[in-house]
Amino acid sequence: MITKVAITSQNRKTVTEHAGRCRNFYIYTIEKEEVKGKELLELSAEETLHATFHGESKSDKNIIFDVDILLTKGIGNGAIQKLANHNVACYKITETDPDTAIDKLINGVLEAVAPVSHKSDCGCGGDHHHHHGHDHGHHH
């Protein structure tokens, strides 16, 4: 079982925000809980997720759709949902080092800010948190 994981790294050093506009990604190939490969993927402006989702590219396919998981510091819920439609699980993470993030992912200890399920039909597009009967006066 081979898993492909893309990490947004616009500066090619750390995990960066703005996944939709990101043009530099590290693509990790993971097999049997081991990293078998790491490569830098450089996109043109036309190849970004933003361009694909907003009809600015020549194709409605995107190279990022080929990965299984996308890790990023920041991405909108709409983009997350569109990625989910292409079977890409997207997670917002706080980890800044790509190699560390992958290591934590493999070991099951990577903390995601907003894990998104494929069944989510929220579509709110915002980054607010949903409260379900919690006492709003206390922030945990």
Side-chain angles (χ1 to χ4, degrees):
M1 175 80 184
I2 292 177
T3 304
K4 291 259 191 189
V5 183
I7 294 187
T8 54
S9 185
Q10 185 65 24
N11 60 10
R12 303 181 196 179
K13 289 192 197 68
T14 59
V15 184
T16 55
E17 299 195 9
H18 311 300
R21 304 235 177 230
C22 188
R23 289 167 59 174
N24 294 318
F25 293 82
Y26 280 115
I27 307 292
Y28 291 80
T29 303
I30 299 167
E31 187 178 4
K32 297 193 179 108
E33 300 187 358
E34 275 183 41
V35 175
K36 297 289 187 187
K38 174 186 176 183
E39 56 190 328
L40 179 68
L41 172 69
E42 298 181 74
L43 305 180
S44 71
E46 273 197 355
E47 292 173 315
T48 62
L49 289 170
H50 178 88
T52 300
F53 293 154
H54 293 272
E56 294 163 19
S57 76
K58 299 184 176 72
S59 161
D60 57 2
K61 281 265 176 243
N62 189 289
I63 193 161
I64 300 300
F65 295 164
D66 291 337
V67 305
D68 302 293
I69 299 170
L70 173 65
L71 302 178
T72 182
K73 278 270 195 201
I75 187 168
N77 286 349
I80 290 174
Q81 194 60 54
K82 286 173 180 158
L83 283 164
N85 294 341
H86 293 278
N87 296 317
V88 180
C90 180
Y91 300 103
K92 276 197 279 199
I93 60 172
T94 54
E95 182 56 58
T96 51
D97 179 67
D99 290 344
T100 304
I102 289 293
D103 196 47
K104 287 184 173 180
L105 179 73
I106 291 172
N107 290 303
V109 295
L110 182 67
E111 290 187 25
V113 180
V116 172
S117 79
H118 290 276
K119 303 211 171 8
S120 164
D121 287 316
C122 167
C124 62
D127 274 337
H128 60 258
H129 300 283
H130 295 282
H131 297 284
H132 297 286
H134 301 304
D135 179 359
H136 289 219
H138 298 287
H139 290 288
H140 303 295

PDB file of all heavy atoms in Angstrom, residues 6-11 14-20 22 25 70-76 80 90-98 101 111-114 127:
ATOM      1  N   ALA A   6       1.163  15.168  -0.059  1.00  0.00           N
ATOM      2  CA  ALA A   6       1.685  16.461  -0.516  1.00  0.00           C
ATOM      3  C   ALA A   6       1.664  17.438   0.651  1.00  0.00           C
ATOM      4  O   ALA A   6       0.710  17.468   1.426  1.00  0.00           O
ATOM      5  CB  ALA A   6       0.829  17.008  -1.668  1.00  0.00           C
ATOM      6  N   ILE A   7       2.722  18.227   0.763  1.00  0.00           N
ATOM      7  CA  ILE A   7       2.790  19.255   1.802  1.00  0.00           C
ATOM      8  C   ILE A   7       3.061  20.598   1.137  1.00  0.00           C
ATOM      9  O   ILE A   7       3.971  20.716   0.311  1.00  0.00           O
ATOM     10  CB  ILE A   7       3.909  18.947   2.821  1.00  0.00           C
ATOM     11  CG1 ILE A   7       3.577  17.671   3.592  1.00  0.00           C
ATOM     12  CG2 ILE A   7       4.105  20.123   3.779  1.00  0.00           C
ATOM     13  CD1 ILE A   7       4.526  17.379   4.740  1.00  0.00           C
ATOM     14  N   THR A   8       2.261  21.598   1.476  1.00  0.00           N
ATOM     15  CA  THR A   8       2.485  22.927   0.906  1.00  0.00           C
ATOM     16  C   THR A   8       3.743  23.529   1.519  1.00  0.00           C
ATOM     17  O   THR A   8       3.882  23.611   2.734  1.00  0.00           O
ATOM     18  CB  THR A   8       1.300  23.869   1.185  1.00  0.00           C
ATOM     19  OG1 THR A   8       1.040  23.894   2.599  1.00  0.00           O
ATOM     20  CG2 THR A   8       0.043  23.418   0.470  1.00  0.00           C
ATOM     21  N   SER A   9       4.673  23.936   0.661  1.00  0.00           N
ATOM     22  CA  SER A   9       5.904  24.548   1.146  1.00  0.00           C
ATOM     23  C   SER A   9       6.380  25.587   0.131  1.00  0.00           C
ATOM     24  O   SER A   9       7.320  25.363  -0.637  1.00  0.00           O
ATOM     25  CB  SER A   9       6.988  23.482   1.362  1.00  0.00           C
ATOM     26  OG  SER A   9       8.149  24.068   1.939  1.00  0.00           O
ATOM     27  N   GLN A  10       5.702  26.717   0.148  1.00  0.00           N
ATOM     28  CA  GLN A  10       6.000  27.755  -0.825  1.00  0.00           C
ATOM     29  C   GLN A  10       7.469  28.203  -0.726  1.00  0.00           C
ATOM     30  O   GLN A  10       8.112  28.476  -1.726  1.00  0.00           O
ATOM     31  CB  GLN A  10       5.061  28.947  -0.608  1.00  0.00           C
ATOM     32  CG  GLN A  10       5.188  30.058  -1.655  1.00  0.00           C
ATOM     33  CD  GLN A  10       4.775  29.614  -3.050  1.00  0.00           C
ATOM     34  OE1 GLN A  10       4.009  28.685  -3.216  1.00  0.00           O
ATOM     35  NE2 GLN A  10       5.304  30.287  -4.061  1.00  0.00           N
ATOM     36  N   ASN A  11       7.992  28.241   0.495  1.00  0.00           N
ATOM     37  CA  ASN A  11       9.382  28.682   0.689  1.00  0.00           C
ATOM     38  C   ASN A  11      10.376  27.510   0.633  1.00  0.00           C
ATOM     39  O   ASN A  11      11.575  27.700   0.810  1.00  0.00           O
ATOM     40  CB  ASN A  11       9.534  29.425   2.026  1.00  0.00           C
ATOM     41  CG  ASN A  11       9.157  28.544   3.212  1.00  0.00           C
ATOM     42  OD1 ASN A  11       8.956  27.339   3.071  1.00  0.00           O
ATOM     43  ND2 ASN A  11       9.046  29.144   4.368  1.00  0.00           N
ATOM     44  N   THR A  14       9.514  25.315   5.120  1.00  0.00           N
ATOM     45  CA  THR A  14       8.523  24.998   6.141  1.00  0.00           C
ATOM     46  C   THR A  14       7.158  24.761   5.505  1.00  0.00           C
ATOM     47  O   THR A  14       6.949  25.043   4.325  1.00  0.00           O
ATOM     48  CB  THR A  14       8.398  26.155   7.154  1.00  0.00           C
ATOM     49  OG1 THR A  14       8.015  27.337   6.437  1.00  0.00           O
ATOM     50  CG2 THR A  14       9.719  26.405   7.872  1.00  0.00           C
ATOM     51  N   VAL A  15       6.240  24.245   6.323  1.00  0.00           N
ATOM     52  CA  VAL A  15       4.868  24.061   5.877  1.00  0.00           C
ATOM     53  C   VAL A  15       4.228  25.449   5.816  1.00  0.00           C
ATOM     54  O   VAL A  15       4.256  26.192   6.796  1.00  0.00           O
ATOM     55  CB  VAL A  15       4.085  23.159   6.857  1.00  0.00           C
ATOM     56  CG1 VAL A  15       2.679  22.902   6.325  1.00  0.00           C
ATOM     57  CG2 VAL A  15       4.831  21.846   7.082  1.00  0.00           C
ATOM     58  N   THR A  16       3.662  25.790   4.661  1.00  0.00           N
ATOM     59  CA  THR A  16       3.133  27.152   4.482  1.00  0.00           C
ATOM     60  C   THR A  16       1.619  27.164   4.326  1.00  0.00           C
ATOM     61  O   THR A  16       0.985  26.130   4.109  1.00  0.00           O
ATOM     62  CB  THR A  16       3.784  27.825   3.261  1.00  0.00           C
ATOM     63  OG1 THR A  16       3.594  26.982   2.112  1.00  0.00           O
ATOM     64  CG2 THR A  16       5.273  28.045   3.490  1.00  0.00           C
ATOM     65  N   GLU A  17       1.057  28.359   4.410  1.00  0.00           N
ATOM     66  CA  GLU A  17      -0.388  28.550   4.270  1.00  0.00           C
ATOM     67  C   GLU A  17      -0.763  28.737   2.803  1.00  0.00           C
ATOM     68  O   GLU A  17       0.072  28.657   1.917  1.00  0.00           O
ATOM     69  CB  GLU A  17      -0.829  29.772   5.084  1.00  0.00           C
ATOM     70  CG  GLU A  17      -0.545  29.624   6.571  1.00  0.00           C
ATOM     71  CD  GLU A  17      -1.308  30.652   7.391  1.00  0.00           C
ATOM     72  OE1 GLU A  17      -2.170  31.351   6.843  1.00  0.00           O
ATOM     73  OE2 GLU A  17      -1.032  30.756   8.597  1.00  0.00           O
ATOM     74  N   HIS A  18      -2.049  29.048   2.605  1.00  0.00           N
ATOM     75  CA  HIS A  18      -2.559  29.390   1.275  1.00  0.00           C
ATOM     76  C   HIS A  18      -2.331  28.250   0.272  1.00  0.00           C
ATOM     77  O   HIS A  18      -1.676  28.433  -0.752  1.00  0.00           O
ATOM     78  CB  HIS A  18      -1.932  30.685   0.760  1.00  0.00           C
ATOM     79  CG  HIS A  18      -1.974  31.788   1.764  1.00  0.00           C
ATOM     80  ND1 HIS A  18      -3.157  32.275   2.288  1.00  0.00           N
ATOM     81  CD2 HIS A  18      -0.998  32.475   2.374  1.00  0.00           C
ATOM     82  CE1 HIS A  18      -2.895  33.226   3.169  1.00  0.00           C
ATOM     83  NE2 HIS A  18      -1.581  33.371   3.246  1.00  0.00           N
ATOM     84  N   ALA A  19      -2.870  27.092   0.605  1.00  0.00           N
ATOM     85  CA  ALA A  19      -2.695  25.905  -0.238  1.00  0.00           C
ATOM     86  C   ALA A  19      -3.138  26.163  -1.676  1.00  0.00           C
ATOM     87  O   ALA A  19      -2.508  25.697  -2.623  1.00  0.00           O
ATOM     88  CB  ALA A  19      -3.478  24.729   0.354  1.00  0.00           C
ATOM     89  N   GLY A  20      -4.218  26.902  -1.824  1.00  0.00           N
ATOM     90  CA  GLY A  20      -4.762  27.133  -3.160  1.00  0.00           C
ATOM     91  C   GLY A  20      -3.812  27.867  -4.082  1.00  0.00           C
ATOM     92  O   GLY A  20      -3.801  27.650  -5.294  1.00  0.00           O
ATOM     93  N   CYS A  22      -0.468  27.961  -3.516  1.00  0.00           N
ATOM     94  CA  CYS A  22       0.867  27.408  -3.355  1.00  0.00           C
ATOM     95  C   CYS A  22       1.366  26.797  -4.663  1.00  0.00           C
ATOM     96  O   CYS A  22       0.625  26.108  -5.354  1.00  0.00           O
ATOM     97  CB  CYS A  22       0.857  26.346  -2.260  1.00  0.00           C
ATOM     98  SG  CYS A  22       2.506  25.773  -1.841  1.00  0.00           S
ATOM     99  N   PHE A  25       5.313  22.229  -3.629  1.00  0.00           N
ATOM    100  CA  PHE A  25       4.834  21.170  -2.738  1.00  0.00           C
ATOM    101  C   PHE A  25       5.927  20.117  -2.593  1.00  0.00           C
ATOM    102  O   PHE A  25       6.637  19.826  -3.554  1.00  0.00           O
ATOM    103  CB  PHE A  25       3.608  20.457  -3.345  1.00  0.00           C
ATOM    104  CG  PHE A  25       2.378  21.306  -3.447  1.00  0.00           C
ATOM    105  CD1 PHE A  25       2.224  22.178  -4.517  1.00  0.00           C
ATOM    106  CD2 PHE A  25       1.365  21.226  -2.509  1.00  0.00           C
ATOM    107  CE1 PHE A  25       1.081  22.958  -4.639  1.00  0.00           C
ATOM    108  CE2 PHE A  25       0.221  21.997  -2.620  1.00  0.00           C
ATOM    109  CZ  PHE A  25       0.083  22.866  -3.686  1.00  0.00           C
ATOM    110  N   LEU A  70      -3.217  15.752   1.652  1.00  0.00           N
ATOM    111  CA  LEU A  70      -2.581  17.062   1.535  1.00  0.00           C
ATOM    112  C   LEU A  70      -2.479  17.676   2.921  1.00  0.00           C
ATOM    113  O   LEU A  70      -3.473  17.756   3.645  1.00  0.00           O
ATOM    114  CB  LEU A  70      -3.397  17.983   0.616  1.00  0.00           C
ATOM    115  CG  LEU A  70      -2.915  19.436   0.538  1.00  0.00           C
ATOM    116  CD1 LEU A  70      -1.534  19.536  -0.086  1.00  0.00           C
ATOM    117  CD2 LEU A  70      -3.896  20.293  -0.248  1.00  0.00           C
ATOM    118  N   LEU A  71      -1.272  18.053   3.294  1.00  0.00           N
ATOM    119  CA  LEU A  71      -1.048  18.706   4.583  1.00  0.00           C
ATOM    120  C   LEU A  71      -0.692  20.160   4.326  1.00  0.00           C
ATOM    121  O   LEU A  71       0.145  20.454   3.466  1.00  0.00           O
ATOM    122  CB  LEU A  71       0.092  18.023   5.354  1.00  0.00           C
ATOM    123  CG  LEU A  71      -0.074  16.529   5.637  1.00  0.00           C
ATOM    124  CD1 LEU A  71       1.151  15.994   6.366  1.00  0.00           C
ATOM    125  CD2 LEU A  71      -1.338  16.264   6.439  1.00  0.00           C
ATOM    126  N   THR A  72      -1.313  21.076   5.054  1.00  0.00           N
ATOM    127  CA  THR A  72      -1.078  22.496   4.832  1.00  0.00           C
ATOM    128  C   THR A  72      -1.348  23.286   6.099  1.00  0.00           C
ATOM    129  O   THR A  72      -2.031  22.805   7.006  1.00  0.00           O
ATOM    130  CB  THR A  72      -1.958  23.020   3.680  1.00  0.00           C
ATOM    131  OG1 THR A  72      -1.673  24.410   3.466  1.00  0.00           O
ATOM    132  CG2 THR A  72      -3.441  22.849   3.999  1.00  0.00           C
ATOM    133  N   LYS A  73      -0.840  24.490   6.145  1.00  0.00           N
ATOM    134  CA  LYS A  73      -1.093  25.376   7.285  1.00  0.00           C
ATOM    135  C   LYS A  73      -2.431  26.089   7.157  1.00  0.00           C
ATOM    136  O   LYS A  73      -3.036  26.475   8.149  1.00  0.00           O
ATOM    137  CB  LYS A  73       0.011  26.440   7.361  1.00  0.00           C
ATOM    138  CG  LYS A  73       1.258  25.959   8.038  1.00  0.00           C
ATOM    139  CD  LYS A  73       1.182  26.226   9.520  1.00  0.00           C
ATOM    140  CE  LYS A  73       2.543  26.101  10.150  1.00  0.00           C
ATOM    141  NZ  LYS A  73       2.467  25.854  11.572  1.00  0.00           N
ATOM    142  N   GLY A  74      -2.854  26.291   5.927  1.00  0.00           N
ATOM    143  CA  GLY A  74      -4.092  27.044   5.748  1.00  0.00           C
ATOM    144  C   GLY A  74      -4.772  26.735   4.433  1.00  0.00           C
ATOM    145  O   GLY A  74      -4.130  26.711   3.383  1.00  0.00           O
ATOM    146  N   ILE A  75      -6.072  26.475   4.497  1.00  0.00           N
ATOM    147  CA  ILE A  75      -6.848  26.193   3.294  1.00  0.00           C
ATOM    148  C   ILE A  75      -8.317  26.435   3.622  1.00  0.00           C
ATOM    149  O   ILE A  75      -8.749  26.238   4.752  1.00  0.00           O
ATOM    150  CB  ILE A  75      -6.630  24.738   2.810  1.00  0.00           C
ATOM    151  CG1 ILE A  75      -7.309  24.506   1.449  1.00  0.00           C
ATOM    152  CG2 ILE A  75      -7.107  23.734   3.854  1.00  0.00           C
ATOM    153  CD1 ILE A  75      -6.893  23.198   0.786  1.00  0.00           C
ATOM    154  N   GLY A  76      -9.066  26.882   2.653  1.00  0.00           N
ATOM    155  CA  GLY A  76     -10.499  27.138   2.868  1.00  0.00           C
ATOM    156  C   GLY A  76     -11.307  25.860   2.839  1.00  0.00           C
ATOM    157  O   GLY A  76     -10.919  24.873   2.216  1.00  0.00           O
ATOM    158  N   ILE A  80     -11.157  22.303   0.599  1.00  0.00           N
ATOM    159  CA  ILE A  80     -11.072  21.005   1.271  1.00  0.00           C
ATOM    160  C   ILE A  80     -12.148  20.063   0.723  1.00  0.00           C
ATOM    161  O   ILE A  80     -11.891  18.904   0.415  1.00  0.00           O
ATOM    162  CB  ILE A  80     -11.241  21.155   2.800  1.00  0.00           C
ATOM    163  CG1 ILE A  80     -10.010  21.863   3.397  1.00  0.00           C
ATOM    164  CG2 ILE A  80     -11.449  19.791   3.463  1.00  0.00           C
ATOM    165  CD1 ILE A  80     -10.141  22.191   4.876  1.00  0.00           C
ATOM    166  N   CYS A  90      -7.561  16.251   3.157  1.00  0.00           N
ATOM    167  CA  CYS A  90      -6.775  17.442   3.457  1.00  0.00           C
ATOM    168  C   CYS A  90      -6.823  17.759   4.946  1.00  0.00           C
ATOM    169  O   CYS A  90      -7.886  17.720   5.553  1.00  0.00           O
ATOM    170  CB  CYS A  90      -7.317  18.625   2.660  1.00  0.00           C
ATOM    171  SG  CYS A  90      -6.404  20.127   2.969  1.00  0.00           S
ATOM    172  N   TYR A  91      -5.668  18.052   5.517  1.00  0.00           N
ATOM    173  CA  TYR A  91      -5.603  18.386   6.932  1.00  0.00           C
ATOM    174  C   TYR A  91      -4.838  19.683   7.135  1.00  0.00           C
ATOM    175  O   TYR A  91      -3.766  19.870   6.559  1.00  0.00           O
ATOM    176  CB  TYR A  91      -4.906  17.272   7.726  1.00  0.00           C
ATOM    177  CG  TYR A  91      -5.607  15.944   7.629  1.00  0.00           C
ATOM    178  CD1 TYR A  91      -5.109  14.946   6.803  1.00  0.00           C
ATOM    179  CD2 TYR A  91      -6.782  15.705   8.344  1.00  0.00           C
ATOM    180  CE1 TYR A  91      -5.756  13.727   6.697  1.00  0.00           C
ATOM    181  CE2 TYR A  91      -7.432  14.485   8.248  1.00  0.00           C
ATOM    182  CZ  TYR A  91      -6.917  13.497   7.426  1.00  0.00           C
ATOM    183  OH  TYR A  91      -7.563  12.299   7.323  1.00  0.00           O
ATOM    184  N   LYS A  92      -5.414  20.541   7.959  1.00  0.00           N
ATOM    185  CA  LYS A  92      -4.692  21.740   8.382  1.00  0.00           C
ATOM    186  C   LYS A  92      -3.880  21.352   9.604  1.00  0.00           C
ATOM    187  O   LYS A  92      -4.427  20.811  10.569  1.00  0.00           O
ATOM    188  CB  LYS A  92      -5.666  22.865   8.744  1.00  0.00           C
ATOM    189  CG  LYS A  92      -6.134  23.660   7.544  1.00  0.00           C
ATOM    190  CD  LYS A  92      -6.743  24.983   7.964  1.00  0.00           C
ATOM    191  CE  LYS A  92      -8.173  24.817   8.411  1.00  0.00           C
ATOM    192  NZ  LYS A  92      -8.906  26.090   8.396  1.00  0.00           N
ATOM    193  N   ILE A  93      -2.588  21.641   9.564  1.00  0.00           N
ATOM    194  CA  ILE A  93      -1.715  21.219  10.660  1.00  0.00           C
ATOM    195  C   ILE A  93      -0.957  22.412  11.235  1.00  0.00           C
ATOM    196  O   ILE A  93      -0.852  23.454  10.596  1.00  0.00           O
ATOM    197  CB  ILE A  93      -0.714  20.140  10.198  1.00  0.00           C
ATOM    198  CG1 ILE A  93       0.175  20.672   9.056  1.00  0.00           C
ATOM    199  CG2 ILE A  93      -1.451  18.880   9.759  1.00  0.00           C
ATOM    200  CD1 ILE A  93       1.316  19.735   8.677  1.00  0.00           C
ATOM    201  N   THR A  94      -0.455  22.233  12.442  1.00  0.00           N
ATOM    202  CA  THR A  94       0.311  23.298  13.071  1.00  0.00           C
ATOM    203  C   THR A  94       1.810  23.028  12.961  1.00  0.00           C
ATOM    204  O   THR A  94       2.618  23.922  13.174  1.00  0.00           O
ATOM    205  CB  THR A  94      -0.062  23.440  14.565  1.00  0.00           C
ATOM    206  OG1 THR A  94       0.080  22.161  15.186  1.00  0.00           O
ATOM    207  CG2 THR A  94      -1.499  23.912  14.705  1.00  0.00           C
ATOM    208  N   GLU A  95       2.166  21.800  12.628  1.00  0.00           N
ATOM    209  CA  GLU A  95       3.576  21.430  12.487  1.00  0.00           C
ATOM    210  C   GLU A  95       4.221  22.242  11.362  1.00  0.00           C
ATOM    211  O   GLU A  95       3.632  22.398  10.297  1.00  0.00           O
ATOM    212  CB  GLU A  95       3.672  19.924  12.178  1.00  0.00           C
ATOM    213  CG  GLU A  95       5.071  19.392  12.043  1.00  0.00           C
ATOM    214  CD  GLU A  95       5.927  19.677  13.258  1.00  0.00           C
ATOM    215  OE1 GLU A  95       5.548  19.251  14.367  1.00  0.00           O
ATOM    216  OE2 GLU A  95       6.950  20.345  13.097  1.00  0.00           O
ATOM    217  N   THR A  96       5.424  22.776  11.608  1.00  0.00           N
ATOM    218  CA  THR A  96       6.046  23.630  10.601  1.00  0.00           C
ATOM    219  C   THR A  96       7.094  22.929   9.743  1.00  0.00           C
ATOM    220  O   THR A  96       7.400  23.371   8.647  1.00  0.00           O
ATOM    221  CB  THR A  96       6.721  24.853  11.263  1.00  0.00           C
ATOM    222  OG1 THR A  96       7.561  24.387  12.309  1.00  0.00           O
ATOM    223  CG2 THR A  96       5.676  25.799  11.829  1.00  0.00           C
ATOM    224  N   ASP A  97       7.638  21.817  10.237  1.00  0.00           N
ATOM    225  CA  ASP A  97       8.676  21.113   9.486  1.00  0.00           C
ATOM    226  C   ASP A  97       8.066  19.952   8.701  1.00  0.00           C
ATOM    227  O   ASP A  97       7.452  19.063   9.290  1.00  0.00           O
ATOM    228  CB  ASP A  97       9.750  20.583  10.439  1.00  0.00           C
ATOM    229  CG  ASP A  97      10.837  19.830   9.677  1.00  0.00           C
ATOM    230  OD1 ASP A  97      11.552  20.487   8.910  1.00  0.00           O
ATOM    231  OD2 ASP A  97      10.938  18.608   9.840  1.00  0.00           O
ATOM    232  N   PRO A  98       8.215  19.969   7.366  1.00  0.00           N
ATOM    233  CA  PRO A  98       7.580  18.923   6.547  1.00  0.00           C
ATOM    234  C   PRO A  98       7.993  17.506   6.942  1.00  0.00           C
ATOM    235  O   PRO A  98       7.140  16.622   7.065  1.00  0.00           O
ATOM    236  CB  PRO A  98       8.056  19.254   5.123  1.00  0.00           C
ATOM    237  CG  PRO A  98       8.357  20.713   5.150  1.00  0.00           C
ATOM    238  CD  PRO A  98       8.878  20.997   6.526  1.00  0.00           C
ATOM    239  N   ALA A 101       6.342  16.543  10.119  1.00  0.00           N
ATOM    240  CA  ALA A 101       4.907  16.315   9.893  1.00  0.00           C
ATOM    241  C   ALA A 101       4.663  14.922   9.337  1.00  0.00           C
ATOM    242  O   ALA A 101       3.755  14.214   9.768  1.00  0.00           O
ATOM    243  CB  ALA A 101       4.346  17.377   8.951  1.00  0.00           C
ATOM    244  N   GLU A 111      -1.184  16.182  14.728  1.00  0.00           N
ATOM    245  CA  GLU A 111      -2.411  16.868  15.130  1.00  0.00           C
ATOM    246  C   GLU A 111      -2.920  17.740  13.998  1.00  0.00           C
ATOM    247  O   GLU A 111      -2.193  18.588  13.494  1.00  0.00           O
ATOM    248  CB  GLU A 111      -2.146  17.730  16.370  1.00  0.00           C
ATOM    249  CG  GLU A 111      -1.910  16.890  17.609  1.00  0.00           C
ATOM    250  CD  GLU A 111      -1.824  17.756  18.853  1.00  0.00           C
ATOM    251  OE1 GLU A 111      -2.383  18.859  18.856  1.00  0.00           O
ATOM    252  OE2 GLU A 111      -1.190  17.320  19.811  1.00  0.00           O
ATOM    253  N   ALA A 112      -4.155  17.509  13.617  1.00  0.00           N
ATOM    254  CA  ALA A 112      -4.776  18.322  12.574  1.00  0.00           C
ATOM    255  C   ALA A 112      -5.702  19.328  13.233  1.00  0.00           C
ATOM    256  O   ALA A 112      -6.426  19.007  14.169  1.00  0.00           O
ATOM    257  CB  ALA A 112      -5.548  17.441  11.607  1.00  0.00           C
ATOM    258  N   VAL A 113      -5.669  20.547  12.723  1.00  0.00           N
ATOM    259  CA  VAL A 113      -6.518  21.595  13.275  1.00  0.00           C
ATOM    260  C   VAL A 113      -7.969  21.319  12.924  1.00  0.00           C
ATOM    261  O   VAL A 113      -8.860  21.459  13.733  1.00  0.00           O
ATOM    262  CB  VAL A 113      -6.102  22.973  12.701  1.00  0.00           C
ATOM    263  CG1 VAL A 113      -6.986  24.077  13.281  1.00  0.00           C
ATOM    264  CG2 VAL A 113      -4.642  23.244  13.008  1.00  0.00           C
ATOM    265  N   ALA A 114      -8.194  20.914  11.686  1.00  0.00           N
ATOM    266  CA  ALA A 114      -9.568  20.698  11.239  1.00  0.00           C
ATOM    267  C   ALA A 114      -9.642  19.453  10.379  1.00  0.00           C
ATOM    268  O   ALA A 114      -9.628  19.535   9.162  1.00  0.00           O
ATOM    269  CB  ALA A 114     -10.062  21.910  10.451  1.00  0.00           C
ATOM    270  N   ASP A 127     -13.995  29.719   8.907  1.00  0.00           N
ATOM    271  CA  ASP A 127     -13.127  28.957   9.792  1.00  0.00           C
ATOM    272  C   ASP A 127     -13.665  28.903  11.214  1.00  0.00           C
ATOM    273  O   ASP A 127     -12.942  28.660  12.143  1.00  0.00           O
ATOM    274  CB  ASP A 127     -11.722  29.572   9.822  1.00  0.00           C
ATOM    275  CG  ASP A 127     -10.881  29.025   8.671  1.00  0.00           C
ATOM    276  OD1 ASP A 127     -11.205  27.936   8.191  1.00  0.00           O
ATOM    277  OD2 ASP A 127      -9.927  29.701   8.279  1.00  0.00           O
TER     278      ASP A 127
END
